[in-house]
Amino acid sequence: MRFNGLFGKIMAKLKYGIIGYPVKHSLSPAMQNAAFKACDIDAGYELFDVAPENLDKFLDDIAKSWNNISGLNVTIPHKIKTKEYLERNGKLDEVARRLGAVNTIKIEPDGSLRGFNTDGPGFYRSLQEDLRFEPEGKKVFVLGAGGAARAVIMYLGNGPEKIFVADIDKEKTTELKNHYGKYYDEKKLVIVGGEIKEALADCALLINATPIGMKEADPSPIDKNLLRSGTRIYDLVYNRPVTQLVREANSMKLHAVTGIGMLLYQGAIAFEIWTGKKAPVGVMKKALKDALK
Ligand code: NAP
């Protein structure tokens, strides 16, 4: 408890957290708790392991100010269901609506919930800060068509000249194209069904949006011989300091990064939504790197 001297009101410690299933490996507590401390905000960030069948009840309880939680991150497998819940019971930011998923919730003092998506903007900011890449008017290749690919592609929108997508699950690429076509020029999104060599050779940016690279023994998801000089590489995998894809790209002197920057900036933008304060990005980055060690 904290005493607010100005009005003599007793202020409870603010609570934030992340809901997922399972959620125990999340790096967000390290990053967000470091940010609260650096900004002198009396708050704690916790893990909430919520099974899919309990999600609605958990969010109902939050809306009734259960445990005084002020803000949440949302991770696998709850991002789409949370967006659907907030369509019925709360408010949705325009980006979350367009991306079709929620990864951040702000709980207002009256208990109303507002959903945001900071994955897309976080990726975009990392693309600019870490890879020094402007996607406008360029050709982009995305390997994988799951949740992360959708956030990235829907945020890139009509910006690139073309976005090529390949996934071993053809249904996912079709779903993604249908969703993209609701908001953007569907001719810009090209599904690559078979050989990826030709499309990839033409692209200025390759994004790995598959989970290949998360395990130490994972190979690169792309044959090294298909990488061209000048192509930038963004590997969304963030749980390792380096992946085989990034290692091989670096050995060819290509500019390549892992997804730690996307994780950092999605967290920084969430922090800013919750607190209205500028996120201490340097402190958050150090906390993430330390947690990864
Ligand atoms: P997901 O929903 O499982 O989607 C991945 C897709 O890639 C699946 O459709 C999968 O097909 C497909 N795939 C697997 N191997 C492939 C291959 N060799 N070629 C083409 N497609 C392949 O996963 P996600 O949630 O989108 O996550 C993808 C990656 O992004 C993970 O590494 C995750 O950690 C990362 N991520 C990073 C951030 C960040 O902040 N940096 C945020 C979110 C996610 P099957 O399902 O048939 O295997």
Side-chain angles (χ1 to χ4, degrees):
M1 294 287 222
R2 198 173 47 165
F3 193 70
N4 179 334
L6 199 55
F7 302 109
K9 203 174 155 193
I10 301 217
M11 306 272 290
K13 181 173 175 149
L14 300 171
K15 249 183 164 185
Y16 296 86
I18 180 163
I19 53 174
Y21 191 73
V23 78
K24 67 172 185 276
H25 298 298
S26 172
L27 298 170
S28 293
M31 169 168 66
Q32 298 293 357
N33 281 323
F36 291 132
K37 194 169 168 210
C39 294
D40 204 16
I41 296 172
D42 189 16
Y45 187 100
E46 297 171 26
L47 299 173
F48 297 104
D49 215 23
V50 179
E53 62 274 21
N54 297 333
L55 179 68
D56 279 18
K57 164 95 170 69
F58 183 89
L59 294 172
D60 284 347
D61 286 346
I62 295 281
K64 289 178 208 148
S65 290
W66 176 77
N67 262 350
N68 288 321
I69 293 172
S70 306
L72 287 169
N73 284 131
V74 182
T75 189
I76 291 172
H78 297 318
K79 292 185 186 186
I80 293 173
K81 290 280 177 227
T82 300
K83 177 227 140 202
E84 290 167 1
Y85 176 94
L86 292 176
E87 270 174 336
R88 299 189 303 272
N89 302 307
K91 287 182 194 150
L92 267 189
D93 166 67
E94 168 49 29
V95 175
R97 190 179 302 284
R98 201 167 4 116
L99 271 55
V102 163
N103 82 324
T104 299
I105 303 175
K106 182 172 188 196
I107 298 111
E108 305 291 355
D110 66 359
S112 62
L113 308 185
R114 195 178 190 101
F116 300 84
N117 189 307
T118 69
D119 283 330
F123 164 76
Y124 201 87
R125 196 162 153 197
S126 174
L127 201 58
Q128 294 179 317
E129 301 271 336
D130 303 324
L131 213 48
R132 304 266 167 228
F133 185 82
E134 284 296 340
E136 312 310 306
K138 311 265 176 56
K139 289 183 183 160
V140 175
F141 194 103
V142 182
L143 190 68
R150 178 188 283 225
V152 161
I153 288 173
M154 290 305 292
Y155 200 76
L156 289 174
N158 270 330
E161 182 191 337
K162 269 213 162 55
I163 303 175
F164 296 96
V165 191
D167 193 302
I168 42 179
D169 183 339
K170 301 285 170 288
E171 244 174 65
K172 281 202 185 149
T173 49
T174 309
E175 265 170 41
L176 184 51
K177 187 170 169 83
N178 290 341
H179 185 76
Y180 181 88
K182 284 186 203 155
Y183 296 87
Y184 304 115
D185 176 3
E186 67 160 4
K187 290 194 289 301
K188 284 201 172 200
L189 189 83
V190 180
I191 298 174
V192 183
E195 190 58 58
I196 66 170
K197 186 177 174 183
E198 208 176 301
L200 187 59
D202 221 16
C203 287
L205 174 68
L206 163 66
I207 300 168
N208 174 35
T210 76
I212 299 175
M214 293 180 76
K215 298 195 199 104
E216 187 163 9
D218 278 353
S220 167
I222 294 276
D223 181 346
K224 189 180 172 184
N225 297 317
L226 298 183
L227 302 178
R228 292 296 169 102
S229 73
T231 306
R232 311 253 176 137
I233 288 143
Y234 199 106
D235 192 341
L236 295 187
V237 170
Y238 62 78
N239 66 325
R240 324 197 54 77
V242 67
T243 59
Q244 190 59 14
L245 170 60
V246 170
R247 205 176 280 125
E248 289 180 358
N250 285 337
S251 77
M252 296 171 69
K253 304 263 179 298
L254 302 183
H255 196 168
V257 294
T258 66
I260 197 79
M262 174 172 170
L263 184 70
L264 168 68
Y265 289 115
Q266 65 76 32
I269 299 166
F271 178 93
E272 288 170 359
I273 288 169
W274 295 328
T275 65
K277 289 184 196 287
K278 196 164 165 40
V281 170
V283 169
M284 296 171 87
K285 190 178 202 167
K286 181 174 182 315
L288 266 185
K289 287 196 167 160
D290 288 347
L292 260 181
K293 274 178 197 158

